[in-house]
Amino acid sequence: MIKPLVLIVEDDPKLSDIISLTLQADFELETCMDGDTALERLKNIAPQIIVLDLNLPGASGAALLAHIRADERLAGTRVILATADGRQAETLTDNADIVLLKPVSPTQLRELALRISR
């Protein structure tokens, strides 16, 4: 069975590791530590899910989300925003599939990712 691809875009290495450990049993994973790298990778991949931090070095999470929603090739990609900035998250909820406020519960993240991957 081929696992769905999840792109994790998170600049905090510890949080990126936690997200990876949470999802590795059920998904193929790729990680990017900044927005510019994520934009480059999205030219070549179409992940089923993107776990996206909003406050990133390089291109912001908001800019990445706008890019994802404007790219027809990524129309089926589901986006989980994971951010500590509740106010900023509110402005983007219409473009995200799920918004999680940090600290994110690993159990909740896994359950939600499994639900939207079906």
Side-chain angles (χ1 to χ4, degrees):
M1 181 175 116
I2 297 174
K3 295 179 184 180
L5 176 62
V6 174
L7 177 64
I8 300 166
V9 187
E10 171 60 61
D11 63 322
D12 180 327
K14 289 180 183 176
L15 189 51
S16 181
D17 288 347
I18 290 169
I19 294 169
S20 294
L21 288 170
T22 299
L23 300 177
Q24 71 183 2
D26 302 295
F27 299 95
E28 185 72 31
L29 303 175
E30 187 166 328
T31 60
C32 295
M33 303 299 284
D34 64 77
D36 293 337
T37 303
L39 282 173
E40 280 301 309
R41 284 303 295 139
L42 288 171
K43 291 178 182 177
N44 300 310
I45 63 171
Q48 186 163 357
I49 299 171
I50 298 174
V51 179
L52 179 60
D53 183 18
L54 286 180
N55 297 310
L56 297 166
S60 71
L64 268 167
L65 183 58
H67 171 82
I68 293 161
R69 294 306 184 218
D71 188 335
E72 289 182 22
R73 201 175 48 78
L74 301 174
T77 297
R78 309 298 293 271
V79 178
I80 299 174
L81 289 182
T83 183
D85 188 340
R87 185 170 290 159
Q88 186 180 19
E90 277 183 36
T91 66
L92 299 171
T93 56
D94 291 343
N95 290 324
D97 294 285
I98 296 173
V99 176
L100 297 175
L101 294 178
K102 293 177 183 176
V104 174
S105 158
T107 302
Q108 181 185 32
L109 175 61
R110 181 176 178 270
E111 289 172 1
L112 291 170
L114 285 170
R115 187 178 313 153
I116 66 172
S117 71
R118 294 188 176 121

